[in-house]
Amino acid sequence: GVQIDAAINSGNSGGPVLSQSTGGLVGVAFQGYAGSSVENQGHMVPAPVIDRFLRGIDDDADADEKPPPNLPSLGVHLQLLQSPSLRRYLKMKDTDTGVMVTHVEHGSSAEGSLVPGDVLLEVDGTKLANDGSAVFLGQRLAMVAILQARYVGETVPIRLLREGKEMTIDVTLKTLHQLVPRGQYDVRPPFVIIGGLLFQPLSLEYLQSWGGDLKDAPTHLVEQYYDGISGPDKKEVVVLSQVLSDEANVGFTFDSVGLDYVKSVDGVPVADMARFVAAIGKSIEAKNEFIRLEVTRGNVPNIVILETSKLKQADETIRDRYQIPLRHSSHFADVHDAL
């Protein structure tokens, strides 16, 4: 969104934002600032973003010409280069400005093209400042504005410095799959209950159940939201979000393991919710005596053991006791079928 010098009160979201100088429509208001010390400040969705979305969902447009509405991203973590010492260390010229890549997200646009330590000097012909901004469309904007003027599938040239050598690399733009999804609408959250333990993927909506500003949400989960890094073995954060007391989970209370996230099942890393459910099902089908879950809130793991022989009775008891109509969402097959 773009910051504007206008108050946006409750009920005004979705209204037009007009330019004082031209009177033309420049965007749609969507949020204000809740702080009592700040007045006449809000945010809008700018007209170019709205335009690309409308064109992307236009049913009358030719399918081959209709651009995808999704916004592209490089999928990199960047460090600002306002330190002269750091710029000299990176062998930048006095006239060079830019930002440094510190991490490349798995499956992103930049994977295979950019590497940590690269200094991005220009994106799509637009020079970057040391604070990550750029003069684009006559305004000083964040670098992301350059990318979001393009479409998924398009190629953009990036001029960069790698180990002191200047080069230009073409990057094909993709959407970014974030470790913790931001803003899901009309989406039913996946979940599964096994042995009285409720598991679901971490999302912004789940974190906002503690409040919209996330300040009261569990710190270790908020850290995954802001700084969690995805990879082949970590595409989602699977959270043990509730413990429904039963004989099958005695000793594993909500206070001890609740809100931990799952690292592995029977020693196999859990990449996402689908693989977690598949690993549970595989252990049950193999008639293993125990299912071993490694869960954590950070660096120190906890071990949760479920006895396979107790799971069927636990499921029946828990559903009756807590009046739970479903033991899993429609995203998954029933892991209890093999019991």
Side-chain angles (χ1 to χ4, degrees), residues 218-256:
T219 305
H220 65 288
L221 297 182
V222 174
E223 184 178 286
Q224 290 294 310
Y225 172 74
Y226 284 118
D227 299 321
I229 292 175
S230 62
D233 292 330
K234 191 176 181 181
K235 298 179 180 179
E236 285 182 326
V237 179
V238 178
V239 180
L240 200 176
S241 61
Q242 188 59 264
V243 177
L244 305 173
S245 297
D246 184 80
E247 182 185 346
N249 57 48
V250 169
F252 302 114
T253 63
F254 184 79
D255 289 339
S256 64

PDB file of all heavy atoms in Angstrom, residues 218-256:
ATOM      1  N   PRO A 218       2.294 -15.631  20.287  1.00  0.00           N
ATOM      2  CA  PRO A 218       3.507 -16.324  20.751  1.00  0.00           C
ATOM      3  C   PRO A 218       4.745 -15.861  19.973  1.00  0.00           C
ATOM      4  O   PRO A 218       4.755 -15.878  18.746  1.00  0.00           O
ATOM      5  CB  PRO A 218       3.197 -17.796  20.477  1.00  0.00           C
ATOM      6  CG  PRO A 218       1.706 -17.878  20.503  1.00  0.00           C
ATOM      7  CD  PRO A 218       1.229 -16.583  19.923  1.00  0.00           C
ATOM      8  N   THR A 219       5.772 -15.478  20.713  1.00  0.00           N
ATOM      9  CA  THR A 219       6.962 -14.885  20.103  1.00  0.00           C
ATOM     10  C   THR A 219       7.613 -15.806  19.080  1.00  0.00           C
ATOM     11  O   THR A 219       8.029 -15.360  17.998  1.00  0.00           O
ATOM     12  CB  THR A 219       7.995 -14.520  21.195  1.00  0.00           C
ATOM     13  OG1 THR A 219       7.376 -13.676  22.153  1.00  0.00           O
ATOM     14  CG2 THR A 219       9.188 -13.816  20.599  1.00  0.00           C
ATOM     15  N   HIS A 220       7.700 -17.102  19.405  1.00  0.00           N
ATOM     16  CA  HIS A 220       8.391 -18.012  18.498  1.00  0.00           C
ATOM     17  C   HIS A 220       7.630 -18.210  17.193  1.00  0.00           C
ATOM     18  O   HIS A 220       8.246 -18.457  16.148  1.00  0.00           O
ATOM     19  CB  HIS A 220       8.653 -19.363  19.180  1.00  0.00           C
ATOM     20  CG  HIS A 220       7.409 -20.129  19.513  1.00  0.00           C
ATOM     21  ND1 HIS A 220       6.555 -19.764  20.527  1.00  0.00           N
ATOM     22  CD2 HIS A 220       6.865 -21.264  18.973  1.00  0.00           C
ATOM     23  CE1 HIS A 220       5.551 -20.615  20.610  1.00  0.00           C
ATOM     24  NE2 HIS A 220       5.716 -21.531  19.661  1.00  0.00           N
ATOM     25  N   LEU A 221       6.316 -18.061  17.223  1.00  0.00           N
ATOM     26  CA  LEU A 221       5.524 -18.167  15.995  1.00  0.00           C
ATOM     27  C   LEU A 221       5.588 -16.873  15.191  1.00  0.00           C
ATOM     28  O   LEU A 221       5.641 -16.899  13.954  1.00  0.00           O
ATOM     29  CB  LEU A 221       4.077 -18.531  16.321  1.00  0.00           C
ATOM     30  CG  LEU A 221       3.858 -19.888  16.998  1.00  0.00           C
ATOM     31  CD1 LEU A 221       2.372 -20.149  17.218  1.00  0.00           C
ATOM     32  CD2 LEU A 221       4.480 -21.018  16.177  1.00  0.00           C
ATOM     33  N   VAL A 222       5.581 -15.741  15.887  1.00  0.00           N
ATOM     34  CA  VAL A 222       5.731 -14.452  15.194  1.00  0.00           C
ATOM     35  C   VAL A 222       7.098 -14.384  14.512  1.00  0.00           C
ATOM     36  O   VAL A 222       7.228 -13.861  13.398  1.00  0.00           O
ATOM     37  CB  VAL A 222       5.566 -13.279  16.187  1.00  0.00           C
ATOM     38  CG1 VAL A 222       5.863 -11.953  15.502  1.00  0.00           C
ATOM     39  CG2 VAL A 222       4.154 -13.267  16.764  1.00  0.00           C
ATOM     40  N   GLU A 223       8.106 -14.948  15.146  1.00  0.00           N
ATOM     41  CA  GLU A 223       9.449 -14.979  14.550  1.00  0.00           C
ATOM     42  C   GLU A 223       9.446 -15.784  13.250  1.00  0.00           C
ATOM     43  O   GLU A 223      10.085 -15.397  12.268  1.00  0.00           O
ATOM     44  CB  GLU A 223      10.431 -15.601  15.543  1.00  0.00           C
ATOM     45  CG  GLU A 223      11.875 -15.607  15.070  1.00  0.00           C
ATOM     46  CD  GLU A 223      12.808 -16.181  16.113  1.00  0.00           C
ATOM     47  OE1 GLU A 223      13.079 -15.491  17.111  1.00  0.00           O
ATOM     48  OE2 GLU A 223      13.255 -17.328  15.923  1.00  0.00           O
ATOM     49  N   GLN A 224       8.696 -16.878  13.231  1.00  0.00           N
ATOM     50  CA  GLN A 224       8.584 -17.662  11.995  1.00  0.00           C
ATOM     51  C   GLN A 224       7.862 -16.860  10.911  1.00  0.00           C
ATOM     52  O   GLN A 224       8.184 -16.959   9.727  1.00  0.00           O
ATOM     53  CB  GLN A 224       7.831 -18.969  12.265  1.00  0.00           C
ATOM     54  CG  GLN A 224       8.600 -19.976  13.102  1.00  0.00           C
ATOM     55  CD  GLN A 224       9.815 -20.504  12.385  1.00  0.00           C
ATOM     56  OE1 GLN A 224       9.753 -20.933  11.239  1.00  0.00           O
ATOM     57  NE2 GLN A 224      10.951 -20.478  13.065  1.00  0.00           N
ATOM     58  N   TYR A 225       6.885 -16.058  11.326  1.00  0.00           N
ATOM     59  CA  TYR A 225       6.138 -15.231  10.372  1.00  0.00           C
ATOM     60  C   TYR A 225       7.047 -14.186   9.716  1.00  0.00           C
ATOM     61  O   TYR A 225       7.032 -14.013   8.501  1.00  0.00           O
ATOM     62  CB  TYR A 225       4.974 -14.550  11.093  1.00  0.00           C
ATOM     63  CG  TYR A 225       4.232 -13.524  10.262  1.00  0.00           C
ATOM     64  CD1 TYR A 225       3.372 -13.928   9.251  1.00  0.00           C
ATOM     65  CD2 TYR A 225       4.398 -12.159  10.490  1.00  0.00           C
ATOM     66  CE1 TYR A 225       2.692 -12.996   8.479  1.00  0.00           C
ATOM     67  CE2 TYR A 225       3.726 -11.229   9.718  1.00  0.00           C
ATOM     68  CZ  TYR A 225       2.871 -11.646   8.713  1.00  0.00           C
ATOM     69  OH  TYR A 225       2.213 -10.725   7.951  1.00  0.00           O
ATOM     70  N   TYR A 226       7.830 -13.505  10.530  1.00  0.00           N
ATOM     71  CA  TYR A 226       8.663 -12.428  10.001  1.00  0.00           C
ATOM     72  C   TYR A 226       9.980 -12.916   9.394  1.00  0.00           C
ATOM     73  O   TYR A 226      10.409 -12.419   8.342  1.00  0.00           O
ATOM     74  CB  TYR A 226       8.968 -11.397  11.095  1.00  0.00           C
ATOM     75  CG  TYR A 226       7.813 -10.486  11.414  1.00  0.00           C
ATOM     76  CD1 TYR A 226       7.245 -10.486  12.687  1.00  0.00           C
ATOM     77  CD2 TYR A 226       7.283  -9.627  10.452  1.00  0.00           C
ATOM     78  CE1 TYR A 226       6.169  -9.650  12.986  1.00  0.00           C
ATOM     79  CE2 TYR A 226       6.212  -8.806  10.746  1.00  0.00           C
ATOM     80  CZ  TYR A 226       5.666  -8.809  12.009  1.00  0.00           C
ATOM     81  OH  TYR A 226       4.604  -7.991  12.302  1.00  0.00           O
ATOM     82  N   ASP A 227      10.625 -13.882  10.059  1.00  0.00           N
ATOM     83  CA  ASP A 227      11.997 -14.241   9.680  1.00  0.00           C
ATOM     84  C   ASP A 227      12.189 -15.696   9.310  1.00  0.00           C
ATOM     85  O   ASP A 227      13.310 -16.118   9.036  1.00  0.00           O
ATOM     86  CB  ASP A 227      12.960 -13.906  10.841  1.00  0.00           C
ATOM     87  CG  ASP A 227      12.962 -12.419  11.175  1.00  0.00           C
ATOM     88  OD1 ASP A 227      12.906 -11.604  10.238  1.00  0.00           O
ATOM     89  OD2 ASP A 227      13.016 -12.073  12.370  1.00  0.00           O
ATOM     90  N   GLY A 228      11.131 -16.490   9.327  1.00  0.00           N
ATOM     91  CA  GLY A 228      11.276 -17.899   8.977  1.00  0.00           C
ATOM     92  C   GLY A 228      11.729 -18.076   7.539  1.00  0.00           C
ATOM     93  O   GLY A 228      11.291 -17.353   6.639  1.00  0.00           O
ATOM     94  N   ILE A 229      12.616 -19.014   7.323  1.00  0.00           N
ATOM     95  CA  ILE A 229      13.190 -19.244   5.997  1.00  0.00           C
ATOM     96  C   ILE A 229      12.701 -20.584   5.464  1.00  0.00           C
ATOM     97  O   ILE A 229      12.821 -21.617   6.128  1.00  0.00           O
ATOM     98  CB  ILE A 229      14.727 -19.219   6.065  1.00  0.00           C
ATOM     99  CG1 ILE A 229      15.203 -17.794   6.385  1.00  0.00           C
ATOM    100  CG2 ILE A 229      15.345 -19.695   4.753  1.00  0.00           C
ATOM    101  CD1 ILE A 229      16.687 -17.664   6.592  1.00  0.00           C
ATOM    102  N   SER A 230      12.141 -20.571   4.265  1.00  0.00           N
ATOM    103  CA  SER A 230      11.641 -21.800   3.658  1.00  0.00           C
ATOM    104  C   SER A 230      12.768 -22.534   2.944  1.00  0.00           C
ATOM    105  O   SER A 230      13.815 -21.971   2.643  1.00  0.00           O
ATOM    106  CB  SER A 230      10.516 -21.477   2.663  1.00  0.00           C
ATOM    107  OG  SER A 230      11.013 -20.663   1.606  1.00  0.00           O
ATOM    108  N   GLY A 231      12.554 -23.805   2.695  1.00  0.00           N
ATOM    109  CA  GLY A 231      13.521 -24.634   1.995  1.00  0.00           C
ATOM    110  C   GLY A 231      12.858 -25.919   1.571  1.00  0.00           C
ATOM    111  O   GLY A 231      11.661 -26.123   1.816  1.00  0.00           O
ATOM    112  N   PRO A 232      13.596 -26.837   0.935  1.00  0.00           N
ATOM    113  CA  PRO A 232      12.996 -28.099   0.477  1.00  0.00           C
ATOM    114  C   PRO A 232      12.339 -28.885   1.609  1.00  0.00           C
ATOM    115  O   PRO A 232      11.350 -29.576   1.390  1.00  0.00           O
ATOM    116  CB  PRO A 232      14.192 -28.865  -0.103  1.00  0.00           C
ATOM    117  CG  PRO A 232      15.197 -27.816  -0.441  1.00  0.00           C
ATOM    118  CD  PRO A 232      15.020 -26.730   0.577  1.00  0.00           C
ATOM    119  N   ASP A 233      12.902 -28.781   2.825  1.00  0.00           N
ATOM    120  CA  ASP A 233      12.357 -29.512   3.969  1.00  0.00           C
ATOM    121  C   ASP A 233      11.512 -28.637   4.886  1.00  0.00           C
ATOM    122  O   ASP A 233      11.146 -29.058   5.987  1.00  0.00           O
ATOM    123  CB  ASP A 233      13.493 -30.137   4.791  1.00  0.00           C
ATOM    124  CG  ASP A 233      14.205 -31.253   4.036  1.00  0.00           C
ATOM    125  OD1 ASP A 233      13.547 -31.912   3.206  1.00  0.00           O
ATOM    126  OD2 ASP A 233      15.409 -31.441   4.256  1.00  0.00           O
ATOM    127  N   LYS A 234      11.202 -27.411   4.438  1.00  0.00           N
ATOM    128  CA  LYS A 234      10.386 -26.527   5.258  1.00  0.00           C
ATOM    129  C   LYS A 234       9.625 -25.548   4.362  1.00  0.00           C
ATOM    130  O   LYS A 234      10.135 -24.502   3.990  1.00  0.00           O
ATOM    131  CB  LYS A 234      11.254 -25.768   6.266  1.00  0.00           C
ATOM    132  CG  LYS A 234      10.450 -25.025   7.326  1.00  0.00           C
ATOM    133  CD  LYS A 234      11.351 -24.380   8.356  1.00  0.00           C
ATOM    134  CE  LYS A 234      10.548 -23.664   9.425  1.00  0.00           C
ATOM    135  NZ  LYS A 234      11.409 -22.997  10.434  1.00  0.00           N
ATOM    136  N   LYS A 235       8.407 -25.932   4.019  1.00  0.00           N
ATOM    137  CA  LYS A 235       7.575 -25.094   3.159  1.00  0.00           C
ATOM    138  C   LYS A 235       6.394 -24.488   3.916  1.00  0.00           C
ATOM    139  O   LYS A 235       5.764 -23.555   3.433  1.00  0.00           O
ATOM    140  CB  LYS A 235       7.071 -25.907   1.964  1.00  0.00           C
ATOM    141  CG  LYS A 235       8.199 -26.425   1.077  1.00  0.00           C
ATOM    142  CD  LYS A 235       7.669 -27.237  -0.078  1.00  0.00           C
ATOM    143  CE  LYS A 235       8.797 -27.743  -0.950  1.00  0.00           C
ATOM    144  NZ  LYS A 235       8.308 -28.571  -2.080  1.00  0.00           N
ATOM    145  N   GLU A 236       6.083 -25.056   5.066  1.00  0.00           N
ATOM    146  CA  GLU A 236       5.054 -24.538   5.956  1.00  0.00           C
ATOM    147  C   GLU A 236       5.510 -24.778   7.392  1.00  0.00           C
ATOM    148  O   GLU A 236       6.404 -25.589   7.642  1.00  0.00           O
ATOM    149  CB  GLU A 236       3.705 -25.245   5.739  1.00  0.00           C
ATOM    150  CG  GLU A 236       2.953 -24.845   4.500  1.00  0.00           C
ATOM    151  CD  GLU A 236       1.614 -25.562   4.394  1.00  0.00           C
ATOM    152  OE1 GLU A 236       1.510 -26.735   4.822  1.00  0.00           O
ATOM    153  OE2 GLU A 236       0.672 -24.950   3.864  1.00  0.00           O
ATOM    154  N   VAL A 237       4.869 -24.086   8.319  1.00  0.00           N
ATOM    155  CA  VAL A 237       5.108 -24.320   9.741  1.00  0.00           C
ATOM    156  C   VAL A 237       3.878 -25.035  10.291  1.00  0.00           C
ATOM    157  O   VAL A 237       2.779 -24.473  10.312  1.00  0.00           O
ATOM    158  CB  VAL A 237       5.341 -23.001  10.505  1.00  0.00           C
ATOM    159  CG1 VAL A 237       5.567 -23.272  11.989  1.00  0.00           C
ATOM    160  CG2 VAL A 237       6.526 -22.241   9.910  1.00  0.00           C
ATOM    161  N   VAL A 238       4.044 -26.291  10.693  1.00  0.00           N
ATOM    162  CA  VAL A 238       2.934 -27.092  11.215  1.00  0.00           C
ATOM    163  C   VAL A 238       2.902 -26.941  12.730  1.00  0.00           C
ATOM    164  O   VAL A 238       3.844 -27.332  13.430  1.00  0.00           O
ATOM    165  CB  VAL A 238       3.085 -28.573  10.823  1.00  0.00           C
ATOM    166  CG1 VAL A 238       1.942 -29.399  11.408  1.00  0.00           C
ATOM    167  CG2 VAL A 238       3.133 -28.721   9.304  1.00  0.00           C
ATOM    168  N   VAL A 239       1.810 -26.369  13.249  1.00  0.00           N
ATOM    169  CA  VAL A 239       1.707 -26.028  14.664  1.00  0.00           C
ATOM    170  C   VAL A 239       0.814 -27.019  15.403  1.00  0.00           C
ATOM    171  O   VAL A 239      -0.261 -27.383  14.916  1.00  0.00           O
ATOM    172  CB  VAL A 239       1.131 -24.598  14.835  1.00  0.00           C
ATOM    173  CG1 VAL A 239       1.031 -24.234  16.310  1.00  0.00           C
ATOM    174  CG2 VAL A 239       1.986 -23.589  14.094  1.00  0.00           C
ATOM    175  N   LEU A 240       1.266 -27.434  16.592  1.00  0.00           N
ATOM    176  CA  LEU A 240       0.423 -28.213  17.501  1.00  0.00           C
ATOM    177  C   LEU A 240      -0.403 -27.173  18.263  1.00  0.00           C
ATOM    178  O   LEU A 240       0.029 -26.637  19.274  1.00  0.00           O
ATOM    179  CB  LEU A 240       1.300 -29.040  18.450  1.00  0.00           C
ATOM    180  CG  LEU A 240       0.671 -30.243  19.155  1.00  0.00           C
ATOM    181  CD1 LEU A 240       1.729 -30.989  19.966  1.00  0.00           C
ATOM    182  CD2 LEU A 240      -0.506 -29.880  20.028  1.00  0.00           C
ATOM    183  N   SER A 241      -1.587 -26.886  17.747  1.00  0.00           N
ATOM    184  CA  SER A 241      -2.331 -25.721  18.231  1.00  0.00           C
ATOM    185  C   SER A 241      -3.265 -26.004  19.404  1.00  0.00           C
ATOM    186  O   SER A 241      -3.725 -25.070  20.059  1.00  0.00           O
ATOM    187  CB  SER A 241      -3.143 -25.106  17.084  1.00  0.00           C
ATOM    188  OG  SER A 241      -4.077 -26.038  16.582  1.00  0.00           O
ATOM    189  N   GLN A 242      -3.558 -27.272  19.681  1.00  0.00           N
ATOM    190  CA  GLN A 242      -4.458 -27.576  20.797  1.00  0.00           C
ATOM    191  C   GLN A 242      -4.222 -29.001  21.281  1.00  0.00           C
ATOM    192  O   GLN A 242      -3.875 -29.885  20.490  1.00  0.00           O
ATOM    193  CB  GLN A 242      -5.926 -27.409  20.369  1.00  0.00           C
ATOM    194  CG  GLN A 242      -6.926 -27.512  21.490  1.00  0.00           C
ATOM    195  CD  GLN A 242      -6.707 -26.474  22.574  1.00  0.00           C
ATOM    196  OE1 GLN A 242      -6.055 -26.766  23.576  1.00  0.00           O
ATOM    197  NE2 GLN A 242      -7.229 -25.273  22.384  1.00  0.00           N
ATOM    198  N   VAL A 243      -4.387 -29.205  22.584  1.00  0.00           N
ATOM    199  CA  VAL A 243      -4.303 -30.540  23.175  1.00  0.00           C
ATOM    200  C   VAL A 243      -5.644 -30.851  23.819  1.00  0.00           C
ATOM    201  O   VAL A 243      -6.052 -30.175  24.773  1.00  0.00           O
ATOM    202  CB  VAL A 243      -3.174 -30.642  24.228  1.00  0.00           C
ATOM    203  CG1 VAL A 243      -3.173 -32.028  24.866  1.00  0.00           C
ATOM    204  CG2 VAL A 243      -1.817 -30.348  23.601  1.00  0.00           C
ATOM    205  N   LEU A 244      -6.345 -31.842  23.286  1.00  0.00           N
ATOM    206  CA  LEU A 244      -7.622 -32.293  23.834  1.00  0.00           C
ATOM    207  C   LEU A 244      -7.321 -33.494  24.730  1.00  0.00           C
ATOM    208  O   LEU A 244      -6.962 -34.570  24.257  1.00  0.00           O
ATOM    209  CB  LEU A 244      -8.584 -32.675  22.706  1.00  0.00           C
ATOM    210  CG  LEU A 244      -8.822 -31.569  21.658  1.00  0.00           C
ATOM    211  CD1 LEU A 244      -9.645 -32.102  20.501  1.00  0.00           C
ATOM    212  CD2 LEU A 244      -9.492 -30.366  22.297  1.00  0.00           C
ATOM    213  N   SER A 245      -7.432 -33.295  26.031  1.00  0.00           N
ATOM    214  CA  SER A 245      -6.954 -34.282  27.000  1.00  0.00           C
ATOM    215  C   SER A 245      -7.602 -35.648  26.812  1.00  0.00           C
ATOM    216  O   SER A 245      -8.821 -35.770  26.649  1.00  0.00           O
ATOM    217  CB  SER A 245      -7.226 -33.782  28.423  1.00  0.00           C
ATOM    218  OG  SER A 245      -6.503 -32.596  28.665  1.00  0.00           O
ATOM    219  N   ASP A 246      -6.749 -36.668  26.847  1.00  0.00           N
ATOM    220  CA  ASP A 246      -7.202 -38.044  26.708  1.00  0.00           C
ATOM    221  C   ASP A 246      -6.092 -38.960  27.219  1.00  0.00           C
ATOM    222  O   ASP A 246      -4.935 -38.538  27.347  1.00  0.00           O
ATOM    223  CB  ASP A 246      -7.507 -38.364  25.239  1.00  0.00           C
ATOM    224  CG  ASP A 246      -8.074 -39.750  25.049  1.00  0.00           C
ATOM    225  OD1 ASP A 246      -9.286 -39.940  25.289  1.00  0.00           O
ATOM    226  OD2 ASP A 246      -7.300 -40.648  24.662  1.00  0.00           O
ATOM    227  N   GLU A 247      -6.446 -40.210  27.472  1.00  0.00           N
ATOM    228  CA  GLU A 247      -5.442 -41.174  27.926  1.00  0.00           C
ATOM    229  C   GLU A 247      -4.298 -41.296  26.922  1.00  0.00           C
ATOM    230  O   GLU A 247      -3.145 -41.549  27.305  1.00  0.00           O
ATOM    231  CB  GLU A 247      -6.108 -42.542  28.127  1.00  0.00           C
ATOM    232  CG  GLU A 247      -5.155 -43.611  28.655  1.00  0.00           C
ATOM    233  CD  GLU A 247      -5.805 -44.985  28.735  1.00  0.00           C
ATOM    234  OE1 GLU A 247      -7.054 -45.054  28.630  1.00  0.00           O
ATOM    235  OE2 GLU A 247      -5.055 -45.969  28.877  1.00  0.00           O
ATOM    236  N   ALA A 248      -4.590 -41.090  25.650  1.00  0.00           N
ATOM    237  CA  ALA A 248      -3.565 -41.254  24.608  1.00  0.00           C
ATOM    238  C   ALA A 248      -2.481 -40.192  24.671  1.00  0.00           C
ATOM    239  O   ALA A 248      -1.387 -40.394  24.135  1.00  0.00           O
ATOM    240  CB  ALA A 248      -4.222 -41.244  23.226  1.00  0.00           C
ATOM    241  N   ASN A 249      -2.782 -39.046  25.298  1.00  0.00           N
ATOM    242  CA  ASN A 249      -1.770 -37.983  25.324  1.00  0.00           C
ATOM    243  C   ASN A 249      -1.413 -37.541  26.747  1.00  0.00           C
ATOM    244  O   ASN A 249      -0.944 -36.409  26.941  1.00  0.00           O
ATOM    245  CB  ASN A 249      -2.223 -36.781  24.487  1.00  0.00           C
ATOM    246  CG  ASN A 249      -3.564 -36.219  24.930  1.00  0.00           C
ATOM    247  OD1 ASN A 249      -3.797 -35.982  26.121  1.00  0.00           O
ATOM    248  ND2 ASN A 249      -4.461 -35.993  23.971  1.00  0.00           N
ATOM    249  N   VAL A 250      -1.610 -38.442  27.724  1.00  0.00           N
ATOM    250  CA  VAL A 250      -1.273 -38.109  29.113  1.00  0.00           C
ATOM    251  C   VAL A 250       0.205 -37.720  29.202  1.00  0.00           C
ATOM    252  O   VAL A 250       1.084 -38.388  28.651  1.00  0.00           O
ATOM    253  CB  VAL A 250      -1.560 -39.306  30.045  1.00  0.00           C
ATOM    254  CG1 VAL A 250      -0.949 -39.059  31.427  1.00  0.00           C
ATOM    255  CG2 VAL A 250      -3.052 -39.531  30.170  1.00  0.00           C
ATOM    256  N   GLY A 251       0.465 -36.615  29.888  1.00  0.00           N
ATOM    257  CA  GLY A 251       1.835 -36.140  30.055  1.00  0.00           C
ATOM    258  C   GLY A 251       2.244 -35.100  29.040  1.00  0.00           C
ATOM    259  O   GLY A 251       3.252 -34.408  29.221  1.00  0.00           O
ATOM    260  N   PHE A 252       1.465 -34.993  27.957  1.00  0.00           N
ATOM    261  CA  PHE A 252       1.751 -33.985  26.934  1.00  0.00           C
ATOM    262  C   PHE A 252       0.662 -32.909  27.005  1.00  0.00           C
ATOM    263  O   PHE A 252      -0.326 -32.944  26.280  1.00  0.00           O
ATOM    264  CB  PHE A 252       1.805 -34.614  25.544  1.00  0.00           C
ATOM    265  CG  PHE A 252       2.832 -35.715  25.432  1.00  0.00           C
ATOM    266  CD1 PHE A 252       2.434 -37.026  25.214  1.00  0.00           C
ATOM    267  CD2 PHE A 252       4.176 -35.438  25.584  1.00  0.00           C
ATOM    268  CE1 PHE A 252       3.372 -38.047  25.122  1.00  0.00           C
ATOM    269  CE2 PHE A 252       5.129 -36.450  25.499  1.00  0.00           C
ATOM    270  CZ  PHE A 252       4.728 -37.758  25.266  1.00  0.00           C
ATOM    271  N   THR A 253       0.845 -31.982  27.923  1.00  0.00           N
ATOM    272  CA  THR A 253      -0.161 -30.949  28.160  1.00  0.00           C
ATOM    273  C   THR A 253       0.049 -29.773  27.210  1.00  0.00           C
ATOM    274  O   THR A 253       1.100 -29.631  26.581  1.00  0.00           O
ATOM    275  CB  THR A 253      -0.074 -30.433  29.603  1.00  0.00           C
ATOM    276  OG1 THR A 253       1.216 -29.810  29.790  1.00  0.00           O
ATOM    277  CG2 THR A 253      -0.224 -31.574  30.594  1.00  0.00           C
ATOM    278  N   PHE A 254      -0.971 -28.915  27.154  1.00  0.00           N
ATOM    279  CA  PHE A 254      -0.851 -27.723  26.314  1.00  0.00           C
ATOM    280  C   PHE A 254       0.289 -26.845  26.817  1.00  0.00           C
ATOM    281  O   PHE A 254       1.020 -26.240  26.029  1.00  0.00           O
ATOM    282  CB  PHE A 254      -2.166 -26.939  26.320  1.00  0.00           C
ATOM    283  CG  PHE A 254      -2.153 -25.744  25.399  1.00  0.00           C
ATOM    284  CD1 PHE A 254      -2.343 -25.888  24.035  1.00  0.00           C
ATOM    285  CD2 PHE A 254      -1.927 -24.463  25.899  1.00  0.00           C
ATOM    286  CE1 PHE A 254      -2.311 -24.790  23.188  1.00  0.00           C
ATOM    287  CE2 PHE A 254      -1.894 -23.365  25.067  1.00  0.00           C
ATOM    288  CZ  PHE A 254      -2.089 -23.532  23.700  1.00  0.00           C
ATOM    289  N   ASP A 255       0.455 -26.765  28.146  1.00  0.00           N
ATOM    290  CA  ASP A 255       1.528 -25.938  28.705  1.00  0.00           C
ATOM    291  C   ASP A 255       2.906 -26.455  28.328  1.00  0.00           C
ATOM    292  O   ASP A 255       3.857 -25.674  28.207  1.00  0.00           O
ATOM    293  CB  ASP A 255       1.418 -25.872  30.232  1.00  0.00           C
ATOM    294  CG  ASP A 255       0.246 -25.044  30.705  1.00  0.00           C
ATOM    295  OD1 ASP A 255      -0.238 -24.209  29.906  1.00  0.00           O
ATOM    296  OD2 ASP A 255      -0.204 -25.213  31.847  1.00  0.00           O
ATOM    297  N   SER A 256       3.036 -27.749  28.120  1.00  0.00           N
ATOM    298  CA  SER A 256       4.360 -28.316  27.828  1.00  0.00           C
ATOM    299  C   SER A 256       4.681 -28.365  26.344  1.00  0.00           C
ATOM    300  O   SER A 256       5.820 -28.129  25.945  1.00  0.00           O
ATOM    301  CB  SER A 256       4.480 -29.724  28.424  1.00  0.00           C
ATOM    302  OG  SER A 256       3.556 -30.616  27.817  1.00  0.00           O
TER     303      SER A 256
END
